[in-house]
Amino acid sequence: MIDRSGWSGEGTFTTALLEQLETFDSIDLLRVEDAPSSRTDADYNFISNEIYVRFRREPSLEAGRWLGIVPVRRTVWKPVMTLDGLESRLAALQDVGAPDYADETMLQYLKTERIIPPYQTRGYKIVELVRIYSLKAAD
Amino acid sequence: MSILSRRVSVKAVVALVLAMIGVAGLLPVRTKGQPREIVLVAKDMAFYASGTNTANPEITVRPGESIRVVLKNEDRGMTHDFAVPAVKAAMDPLNWHEQGGVTFEAPEKPGTYEYMCRPHVLMMKGALKVVAD
């Protein structure tokens, strides 16, 4: 289920990306929003979207020591995927590919397409910037 | 006119000429001084004047004015620069969180010129307006 309440629906690459992300069972929250930087000029249409993903968590037992003495095992909830892992999976997809930029909390795709309307010689460019952010469990 | 008054007027003229030479000697020969600093921020694939929300704002300068543009790159994951092709001024590209500057002299001829980010000239360009006083 994708939360599209803050999104105008613009962006073909964003749409393709969401279709792929929706199939990943390692993601339990997916939200897309228009970025405030979207704007239009005579020569271009700049579409900027932000996608927020939260990875599903699974319990795992971790060894520790109570008061630093008594050995204990406790349950820790860990995400089943990381942003690095997501980057690799998306990079392997033909419709998506590797991001133009990636860091610890964000993947960024910048796509450019020239549109020439019928009966016109001079078109305009659609520049689509998509940023994927990883949300923490509390977000 | 008496001899006395003629002497006085000659002295006055000489004094005036000497005073003018003295004042002229004190005047600088159009020194450029410190350049005027303009701070721009690159974010969301646009330039912004520091503290404003207008994308790619018009920059107004005087003919021949010395200008220093300081650019702060706040665009995560993007490399930006600032260039004015008309005066062949350009700074080295900046990564996210980097800051750089370029100093140049505005064109002498009034008119509208272009400034830009060379890697993103489609979206990051604006007018450098040269206006005479």
Side-chain angles (χ1 to χ4, degrees), chain B residues 45-103:
Chain B
M45 296 288 277
F47 291 109
Y48 292 87
S50 189
T52 69
N53 289 321
T54 306
N56 303 322
E58 184 179 278
I59 299 173
T60 304
V61 298
R62 293 192 300 276
E65 185 180 6
S66 185
I67 300 290
R68 176 162 180 79
V69 169
V70 173
L71 181 66
K72 296 174 182 175
N73 184 358
E74 295 181 4
D75 217 355
R76 192 172 176 182
M78 296 287 183
T79 300
H80 295 304
D81 71 4
F82 179 92
V84 183
V87 293
K88 295 184 170 60
M91 69 170 59
D92 290 333
L94 303 171
N95 292 320
W96 180 41
H97 276 167
E98 285 184 340
Q99 177 176 310
V102 60
T103 303

Side-chain angles (χ1 to χ4, degrees), chain A residues 89-139:
Chain A
R89 278 195 67 179
L90 290 173
L93 298 171
Q94 201 176 0
D95 294 346
V96 181
D100 298 274
Y101 171 83
D103 61 30
E104 307 82 51
T105 57
M106 187 190 80
L107 304 179
Q108 178 173 284
Y109 293 86
L110 185 65
K111 302 287 176 186
T112 307
E113 184 186 2
R114 177 167 286 282
I115 304 291
I116 302 176
Y119 311 111
Q120 287 188 26
T121 52
R122 189 166 179 262
Y124 61 95
K125 269 190 175 172
I126 292 181
V127 182
E128 188 174 350
L129 178 72
V130 187
R131 286 173 169 159
I132 302 177
Y133 297 95
S134 169
L135 292 172
K136 289 175 187 158
D139 293 326

